[in-house]
Amino acid sequence: MKKIDNNTKKQKKSVYMHSYGCQMNQSDAERMLGQLLTIGYERTDDITSADLILLNTCCVRESAEDKVYGKIGEIKHLKQKNPRLIFGITGCMAQKEGDALIKRAPHIDFVLGTNKVHELIHVVEEIQVITGRHIVDVLLGDTELPDDVPVQRGDGLSAWVPIMYGCNNFCSYCIVPYVRGRERSRLPEDVVREVESAVTDGFKEVTLLGQNVNSYGKDHKKADFADLLQAVDNIQGIERVRYMTSHPKDLSDKVIETVKNSRHICEHFHLPVQYGSNRILKAMNRIYTVEYYKELVKKIRKSVPNASITTDLIVGFPGETDDDFAQLLDFLREVRYDAAYTFLYSKRSGTPAATMKDQVAETCKKERLHKLMEIQNEISLEINHKLLGQTVEVLVEGASRTDDTVWTGRTRTNKIVLWNYQGTEQKGSLAEVAVTHPQTWVLKGELQNS
Ligand code: SAH
Ligand code: SF4
Ligand code: F3S
């Protein structure tokens, strides 16, 4: 590895970073910022005055890519005004597009793939020395990120801690396995060390990250996901442990038992089903059936009765018929999720689903999505209504985005709670809130004097 020279270290420069997509990308962004701080950069929210602009991109749906292309276009005039400005693209779209991005937008200086997060400062330094040079590094080797990459965490309450990288599942609609490579699990002791250091830094909550956390450790066999959860639950000073995302096909009884018997693992299962008919699940290559999934939900509800269960759903997958869609609605009425994150199917070239026949018309997809959300919203509201009059424990996050006098926090079941600020509550502490107005996506309530 190249040494960082002291001259570079002394200059104060600013970096503007925008990260799109999932928490894994967010976590990569924190590791990139961490490295940049070591060579004298500080973060700015003012894109016009930045010396370095980084877009950490997502390509899971076309809409995510469109947003990035729009932003790349906006940055062109900044580069014209300030030729010393360095502009880099990182993340999943960088991995997917490689030098095609520079061909399309030559004002991009470098493109760095998802496996190259730890190489960032070397690339930036090289470009600082030789301006006008383009660097593209998107080699997707199957190594994991080194464990000594410095991390600059955001000011949220939850520390993101990756436990594994990549995905082996190849769901037929999904681009992630192509841009993130194969599954690689970090060693349990490295994960525990990182969680401990986040707790020492004052984080009360950690979220363990992976595309399919339930297959953690299948490669190194040093610990499985349940063992890792147990080890993290035992860490002194930790208040709440979350994890995502959990693939239903690999959720073991041992994990459910561990959640049940733990002190700090939150009673929230985000268990993306993606669809509610066996025909579509098969075409999606999700491996499980509707019947298997319903049994799993039963098991969870039996073991952890107060758990919330949420999901991801895709409508408009190729070949989806009215009958499939009716089965999906019945499925939703039966399972009764606390919340569902719903997406319109987006064709990703290179994936098997992109070339399947009977792609669903855009208008039909939208109608179905609308109907689906209507039904799910009713269910979410009914479930939240049961909390009326109950007191819930929240981890205080601070003022809400739109109103300083309204504060927000989350329950262990991951529901957002809003209340009028009383002056005594403190960010990062636990508080009790009596639910007075449950709504579809939030619970409004009153802070209880503790
Ligand atoms: N590994 C996670 C999901 C990562 S992507 C899991 O398997 O649950 C997050 C969500 O985006 C997915 O759950 C899926 O619902 C959605 N998604 C992925 N590819 C998509 C596509 N091509 N079109 C629409 N939604 C998609
Ligand atoms: Fe994509 Fe499926 Fe992997 Fe999730 S499990 S990242 S949906 S391929
Ligand atoms: Fe997007 Fe990559 Fe995450 S495609 S959803 S940022 S893994």
Side-chain angles (χ1 to χ4, degrees), residues 20-22 25 57-60 92 175-176 179-180 211:
Y20 300 80
C22 64
N25 232 26
T57 58
C58 169
C59 57
V60 75
C92 293
I175 196 74
V176 172
V179 292
R180 289 276 170 177
Q211 296 302 342

Side-chain angles (χ1 to χ4, degrees), residues 50 94 171 204 233 248 256-257 319 435 441 447:
C171 302
K204 296 280 197 299
D233 186 49
I256 301 175
E257 276 301 295
V435 178
W441 287 96
L447 186 74

Side-chain angles (χ1 to χ4, degrees), residues 10-245:
K10 273 181 211 134
Q11 298 160 13
K12 272 285 170 214
K13 294 193 167 202
S14 60
V15 51
Y16 172 93
M17 152 92 77
H18 190 99
S19 194
Y20 300 80
C22 64
Q23 286 84 355
M24 187 58 88
N25 232 26
Q26 192 62 40
S27 159
D28 288 346
E30 293 178 348
R31 273 152 224 266
M32 289 194 257
L33 281 173
Q35 291 172 70
L36 290 168
L37 298 193
T38 68
I39 58 163
Y41 278 90
E42 50 193 27
R43 192 170 187 179
T44 176
D45 290 331
D46 177 17
I47 193 169
T48 59
S49 68
D51 301 296
L52 169 63
I53 298 177
L54 287 179
L55 302 184
N56 190 38
T57 58
C58 169
C59 57
V60 75
R61 284 171 287 276
E62 198 179 342
S63 54
E65 287 192 313
D66 290 345
K67 274 190 221 157
V68 175
Y69 282 126
K71 194 82 176 169
I72 290 175
E74 282 171 33
I75 290 163
K76 193 168 177 184
H77 78 277
L78 294 175
K79 188 80 182 167
Q80 282 161 350
K81 266 202 256 167
N82 172 14
R84 296 189 67 82
L85 168 67
I86 301 177
F87 177 28
I89 309 284
T90 59
C92 293
M93 202 173 142
Q95 185 65 49
K96 175 166 160 276
E97 297 295 320
D99 51 12
L101 280 171
I102 292 186
K103 287 206 185 89
R104 180 168 171 165
H107 62 291
I108 296 170
D109 294 297
F110 69 90
V111 177
L112 203 61
T114 52
N115 244 11
K116 299 289 171 174
V117 167
H118 57 292
E119 301 283 337
L120 177 71
I121 50 179
H122 304 299
V123 172
V124 169
E125 284 179 324
E126 247 177 276
I127 291 184
Q128 275 175 353
V129 179
I130 321 167
T131 36
R133 188 164 160 212
H134 285 140
I135 297 179
V136 177
D137 190 352
V138 291
L139 193 70
L140 193 60
D142 277 349
T143 53
E144 58 199 83
L145 208 67
D147 273 298
D148 54 358
V149 179
V151 46
Q152 173 67 24
R153 299 194 192 278
D155 57 6
L157 286 186
S158 199
W160 312 115
V161 177
I163 63 167
M164 60 193 297
Y165 303 99
C167 180
N168 287 356
N169 292 312
F170 291 95
C171 302
S172 62
Y173 50 81
C174 184
I175 196 74
V176 172
Y178 305 89
V179 292
R180 289 276 170 177
R182 296 295 67 73
E183 282 176 5
R184 289 142 284 152
S185 306
R186 290 175 76 186
L187 292 173
E189 56 269 31
D190 291 335
V191 173
V192 166
R193 202 176 314 115
E194 187 173 337
V195 174
E196 281 170 346
S197 99
V199 170
T200 307
D201 290 344
F203 284 90
K204 296 280 197 299
E205 181 179 295
V206 294
T207 306
L208 307 178
L209 298 177
Q211 296 302 342
N212 175 13
V213 291
N214 295 319
S215 62
Y216 172 82
K218 287 191 178 160
D219 43 359
H220 58 46
K221 301 203 166 47
K222 296 255 163 66
D224 63 19
F225 183 52
D227 300 331
L228 186 72
L229 278 177
Q230 190 56 63
V232 172
D233 186 49
N234 291 343
I235 291 172
Q236 270 280 314
I238 198 145
E239 200 64 67
R240 289 179 172 186
V241 181
R242 301 189 185 279
Y243 53 89
M244 68 188 313
T245 300

Side-chain angles (χ1 to χ4, degrees), residues 157 240 393-398 407-411 414-419 433 443:
L157 286 186
R240 289 179 172 186
E393 180 199 87
V394 301
L395 185 61
V396 178
E397 286 175 26
W407 274 42
T408 176
R410 271 169 204 263
T411 63
N414 210 33
K415 294 183 192 270
I416 299 167
V417 180
L418 299 171
W419 68 93
V433 177
L443 306 171

